Amino acid sequence: MLTISQLAAYAGVTVRAVRHYHRVGLLPEPERDRSGYRQYDATAVVRLIRIRTLADAGVPLARVQELLDAGPEEFAEGVRTIDTNLRAEIRRLQGTRTRLARLAAGEHLALPRSVVGYLDRLRGLGVEERYIEMERDAWIMIAAQLPHLIDFVIAKKHEQLDDPDMLKLYSLLRGAPDWPVDDPRVVEVADVVERLMIRAVEAGETGGLGFDDQFTDLLDSTMVQSSPGAGRVVEILEERGWKGWTRIERVPADRLGTELPPP
């Protein structure tokens, strides 16, 4: 016969674990002998080893009892069910690891690969990181609104980077957040943006991708608040008869045929 310490040692668990299994009813608690000690036999050792093996395999203690008392077929089916659940948990944890890896990678969090590739292309063009960060935040919001269209939108953005005016705009934006409103480059940016707006009107691309008014206003306000110069660009365009940024809302017909300063 074995004491509780000897039982625990044979089964590879702690005495505390044995007492816990007694409390939850997994391991029958023997009567004490005349000296006040519990005495365990080989049956207790085998049952305790089975309990430990199932628990180590991740089986909830609530299921251990029914598996211990199950027949061979029922036991095998229970193990298969547990294995299926463990596989699902493994997939969930792998997904969590993937999301954590994206979090560690910064902008990969909440952004499709197509957007990350576009931002990397901007870096290759020498666009400042703080401007890229502003674009990244805008793209996070856009991707959440248009998950089914984001790759198409980014493909169009890549096409726009082949336009000399778009490249000129990005080159002008270096240091833009620090410009005062009377910096002459602000007017130059307004000229470039107007040329791009005229092309968008001619191509029929003025609808803002179907965003609702509230989301359009959010994107516009984010851009305007990025720097004093950005707000001044919008004012200049409005003085010329334009209204809208993410979505062009008013087009000055007299400006469509105007010869603007070249890039």
Side-chain angles (χ1 to χ4, degrees):
M1 301 296 284
L2 304 171
T3 65
I4 190 170
S5 297
Q6 292 170 325
L7 170 69
Y10 276 119
V13 301
T14 65
V15 171
R16 183 177 180 180
V18 175
R19 288 173 175 155
H20 176 69
Y21 296 146
H22 284 329
R23 284 194 298 272
V24 299
L26 286 177
L27 184 68
E29 188 173 358
E31 297 292 333
R32 296 179 183 272
D33 61 17
R34 294 179 180 178
S35 302
Y37 293 102
R38 296 186 181 92
Q39 298 290 317
Y40 299 88
D41 57 16
T43 301
V45 175
V46 172
R47 186 175 179 88
L48 185 55
I49 290 173
R50 295 183 71 194
I51 293 171
R52 186 209 68 200
T53 302
L54 290 169
D56 287 348
V59 179
L61 291 184
R63 294 292 312 279
V64 169
Q65 180 70 59
E66 75 181 73
L67 287 176
L68 288 174
D69 298 336
E73 292 185 5
E74 188 180 354
F75 182 86
E77 180 59 31
V79 169
R80 281 193 292 269
T81 299
I82 292 167
D83 181 64
T84 298
N85 293 338
L86 285 175
R87 289 174 183 270
E89 179 65 9
I90 289 170
R91 289 193 296 270
R92 185 189 70 79
L93 291 173
Q94 288 173 334
T96 299
R97 291 191 65 205
T98 299
R99 290 190 292 274
L100 286 173
R102 289 177 180 172
L103 177 61
E107 65 197 23
H108 290 257
L109 177 69
L111 278 181
R113 290 184 179 180
S114 59
V115 178
V116 174
Y118 174 71
L119 296 177
D120 285 341
R121 186 175 176 186
L122 293 184
R123 290 189 179 93
L125 294 172
V127 178
E128 286 186 340
E129 194 64 32
R130 56 179 170 172
Y131 181 81
I132 289 176
E133 289 175 359
M134 287 189 290
E135 277 226 13
R136 177 201 63 202
D137 291 346
W139 284 116
I140 287 174
M141 293 187 290
I142 293 170
Q145 293 292 314
L146 299 174
H148 58 297
L149 289 179
I150 192 63
D151 289 345
F152 169 79
V153 174
I154 289 297
K156 296 293 291 184
K157 293 295 292 183
H158 277 291
E159 290 179 11
Q160 291 173 6
L161 288 180
D162 295 328
D163 187 325
D165 269 326
M166 186 61 74
L167 294 178
K168 177 68 173 178
L169 178 60
Y170 276 117
S171 69
L172 285 170
L173 290 176
R174 293 190 183 96
D178 301 322
W179 293 353
V181 294
D182 57 351
D183 191 300
R185 290 171 295 183
V186 172
V187 177
E188 192 175 0
V189 168
D191 290 339
V192 174
V193 171
E194 186 171 15
R195 286 195 295 269
L196 292 169
M197 282 181 152
I198 289 173
R199 291 197 190 101
V201 171
E202 293 172 344
E205 298 173 348
T206 61
L209 301 173
F211 294 136
D212 60 36
D213 292 344
Q214 185 176 17
F215 189 69
T216 298
D217 290 343
L218 175 62
L219 291 177
D220 286 356
S221 63
T222 299
M223 186 280 300
V224 170
Q225 294 167 9
S226 64
S227 73
R232 179 56 186 148
V233 168
V234 173
E235 290 176 0
I236 292 172
L237 291 170
E238 289 182 346
E239 291 167 3
R240 296 177 182 180
W242 297 89
K243 181 172 177 58
W245 184 268
T246 302
R247 178 177 63 212
I248 300 176
E249 299 174 4
R250 186 174 68 240
V251 180
D254 60 322
R255 299 291 293 182
L256 296 184
T258 303
E259 285 295 327
L260 299 175

